[in-house]
PDB file of all heavy atoms in Angstrom:
ATOM      1  N   ALA A  55      -3.572 -22.314  63.056  1.00  0.00           N
ATOM      2  CA  ALA A  55      -2.741 -21.659  62.118  1.00  0.00           C
ATOM      3  C   ALA A  55      -1.790 -22.625  61.438  1.00  0.00           C
ATOM      4  O   ALA A  55      -0.518 -22.405  61.578  1.00  0.00           O
ATOM      5  CB  ALA A  55      -1.999 -20.469  62.778  1.00  0.00           C
ATOM      6  N   SER A  76      -6.416 -18.760  54.481  1.00  0.00           N
ATOM      7  CA  SER A  76      -6.633 -20.124  54.798  1.00  0.00           C
ATOM      8  C   SER A  76      -7.852 -20.670  54.128  1.00  0.00           C
ATOM      9  O   SER A  76      -8.649 -19.894  53.558  1.00  0.00           O
ATOM     10  CB  SER A  76      -6.730 -20.264  56.336  1.00  0.00           C
ATOM     11  OG  SER A  76      -7.965 -19.757  56.724  1.00  0.00           O
ATOM     12  N   ARG A 106       5.949  -2.142  48.497  1.00  0.00           N
ATOM     13  CA  ARG A 106       5.861  -1.754  47.018  1.00  0.00           C
ATOM     14  C   ARG A 106       4.874  -2.698  46.308  1.00  0.00           C
ATOM     15  O   ARG A 106       4.249  -2.378  45.366  1.00  0.00           O
ATOM     16  CB  ARG A 106       7.219  -1.902  46.410  1.00  0.00           C
ATOM     17  CG  ARG A 106       8.263  -0.884  46.819  1.00  0.00           C
ATOM     18  CD  ARG A 106       9.465  -0.821  45.885  1.00  0.00           C
ATOM     19  NE  ARG A 106      10.432   0.139  46.280  1.00  0.00           N
ATOM     20  CZ  ARG A 106      11.548  -0.180  47.009  1.00  0.00           C
ATOM     21  NH1 ARG A 106      11.779  -1.463  47.305  1.00  0.00           N
ATOM     22  NH2 ARG A 106      12.390   0.712  47.247  1.00  0.00           N
ATOM     23  N   GLY A 155       1.267 -22.529  38.150  1.00  0.00           N
ATOM     24  CA  GLY A 155       1.706 -22.939  36.822  1.00  0.00           C
ATOM     25  C   GLY A 155       0.955 -24.024  36.171  1.00  0.00           C
ATOM     26  O   GLY A 155      -0.037 -24.502  36.713  1.00  0.00           O
ATOM     27  N   ALA A 157       1.267 -27.164  35.765  1.00  0.00           N
ATOM     28  CA  ALA A 157       0.982 -28.411  36.356  1.00  0.00           C
ATOM     29  C   ALA A 157      -0.277 -28.364  37.197  1.00  0.00           C
ATOM     30  O   ALA A 157      -0.931 -29.418  37.545  1.00  0.00           O
ATOM     31  CB  ALA A 157       2.101 -28.789  37.245  1.00  0.00           C
ATOM     32  N   ALA A 194       7.842 -28.805  23.865  1.00  0.00           N
ATOM     33  CA  ALA A 194       7.982 -30.187  23.419  1.00  0.00           C
ATOM     34  C   ALA A 194       8.902 -30.223  22.208  1.00  0.00           C
ATOM     35  O   ALA A 194       8.926 -29.393  21.361  1.00  0.00           O
ATOM     36  CB  ALA A 194       6.579 -30.709  22.962  1.00  0.00           C
ATOM     37  N   ALA A 205      11.566 -25.305  40.933  1.00  0.00           N
ATOM     38  CA  ALA A 205      12.987 -25.029  40.905  1.00  0.00           C
ATOM     39  C   ALA A 205      13.487 -24.769  39.491  1.00  0.00           C
ATOM     40  O   ALA A 205      14.662 -24.446  39.265  1.00  0.00           O
ATOM     41  CB  ALA A 205      13.706 -26.356  41.434  1.00  0.00           C
ATOM     42  N   ALA A 275       6.025 -38.106  50.900  1.00  0.00           N
ATOM     43  CA  ALA A 275       4.994 -38.904  51.625  1.00  0.00           C
ATOM     44  C   ALA A 275       3.576 -38.336  51.325  1.00  0.00           C
ATOM     45  O   ALA A 275       2.640 -39.032  51.254  1.00  0.00           O
ATOM     46  CB  ALA A 275       5.299 -38.910  53.116  1.00  0.00           C
ATOM     47  N   PRO A 308       8.443 -14.229  64.597  1.00  0.00           N
ATOM     48  CA  PRO A 308       8.366 -15.020  63.353  1.00  0.00           C
ATOM     49  C   PRO A 308       7.339 -16.053  63.313  1.00  0.00           C
ATOM     50  O   PRO A 308       7.082 -16.641  62.293  1.00  0.00           O
ATOM     51  CB  PRO A 308       9.805 -15.631  63.336  1.00  0.00           C
ATOM     52  CG  PRO A 308      10.204 -15.725  64.780  1.00  0.00           C
ATOM     53  CD  PRO A 308       9.556 -14.478  65.407  1.00  0.00           C
TER      54      PRO A 308
END
Side-chain angles (χ1 to χ4, degrees):
S76 72
R106 292 194 182 100

